Amino acid sequence: VKPFSATAFHNGKEVEVTEADLKGKWSAVVFYPADFTFVCPSELISLDKNIDQFTQRNVDVLAISVDSQFSHAAWRNTPIQQGGIGSVNFTMVADTSHEICRIYGVEHFEANVALRATFIVDQDKVVRAQFVNDLPLGRNIGEILRTIDSLQHFEANGEVCPMNWEKGAKAMNPDAEGVKSWLVEKYPEQQ
């Protein structure tokens, strides 16, 4: 993660956020196009409704758009029934200069907003996974959590997580014997 500094809105007040805040914990850095838009509230409300799932995994959520902290506060203070997002429990970063979305390579130059992107950053500030969607396509919170589970499983056990792996499923050792064993168990009919 490259250096950045920005003002954010969190728990009813303005705070300063830098890339140093990502060290020591996993983070989900979630870019979205703009406040008071259409797909974005569905995603941010879903993030908030699943915040305990992120907390259980020791993952902080940072939502970033090119709007100001004042716009974030107004959107957060607008009830869901009126197109707002309500009192979300994660930090909303103001990237009014577009510096952070440029650092991450997710600025949509024609629309002048950030693409719908998610970066999973580990405790050492290393980007371990990224998803970048075009503006009309909302992300899947379940897939973000599955990706975090997979990365954390690898960190804890040294086993790699094959396609469609879910927490609690069998993973594989990262060697020829490990893949053979997994494939034989997964696809016995193709022996």
Side-chain angles (χ1 to χ4, degrees), residues 26 56-59 147-157 167:
W26 287 74
Q56 290 168 11
R57 291 163 172 82
N58 196 32
V59 177
T147 301
I148 292 166
D149 288 342
S150 299
L151 292 166
Q152 291 181 342
H153 178 86
F154 173 75
E155 290 290 316
N157 301 293
K167 191 172 188 172

Side-chain angles (χ1 to χ4, degrees), residues 3-190:
F4 68 83
S5 177
T7 302
F9 188 78
H10 182 75
N11 288 337
K13 61 184 173 192
E14 286 185 32
V15 295
E16 292 301 311
V17 177
T18 72
E19 84 291 341
D21 295 320
L22 303 179
K23 188 158 178 72
K25 284 183 113 174
W26 287 74
S27 300
V29 179
V30 178
F31 288 90
Y32 66 97
D35 297 341
F36 296 99
T37 55
F38 317 110
V39 176
C40 299
S42 70
E43 295 181 310
L44 296 184
I45 292 167
S46 183
L47 274 171
D48 186 58
K49 293 207 176 296
N50 288 282
I51 200 71
D52 289 344
Q53 299 267 353
F54 288 92
T55 301
Q56 290 168 11
R57 291 163 172 82
N58 196 32
V59 177
D60 280 343
V61 174
L62 291 178
I64 303 174
S65 81
V66 297
D67 298 293
S68 72
Q69 67 273 22
F70 307 112
S71 179
H72 293 337
W75 199 29
R76 188 180 176 276
N77 291 330
T78 302
I80 292 171
Q81 300 80 2
Q82 295 176 8
I85 57 173
S87 299
V88 296
N89 294 298
F90 49 80
T91 303
M92 298 179 72
V93 179
D95 185 22
T96 56
S97 69
H98 298 220
E99 174 188 6
I100 304 170
C101 61
R102 286 182 189 135
I103 288 170
Y104 280 83
V106 296
E107 182 178 36
H108 190 292
F109 290 102
E110 291 174 355
N112 202 30
V113 295
L115 290 165
R116 206 172 296 289
T118 305
F119 292 84
I120 307 303
V121 181
D122 72 14
Q123 64 275 10
D124 295 319
K125 300 191 307 181
V126 175
V127 173
R128 301 291 298 274
Q130 63 185 24
F131 309 92
V132 181
N133 296 356
D134 197 4
L135 301 178
L137 177 61
R139 67 199 100 209
N140 183 315
I141 301 299
E143 179 58 16
I144 295 168
L145 292 169
R146 187 194 80 81
T147 301
I148 292 166
D149 288 342
S150 299
L151 292 166
Q152 291 181 342
H153 178 86
F154 173 75
E155 290 290 316
N157 301 293
E159 295 176 319
V160 294
C161 302
M163 181 187 80
N164 296 329
W165 181 90
E166 296 282 340
K167 191 172 188 172
K170 182 178 180 187
M172 68 173 77
N173 289 324
D175 55 32
E177 286 304 312
V179 72
K180 283 191 322 191
S181 172
W182 188 88
L183 289 171
V184 165
E185 187 175 316
K186 183 72 173 173
Y187 303 107
E189 71 282 356
Q190 295 183 356

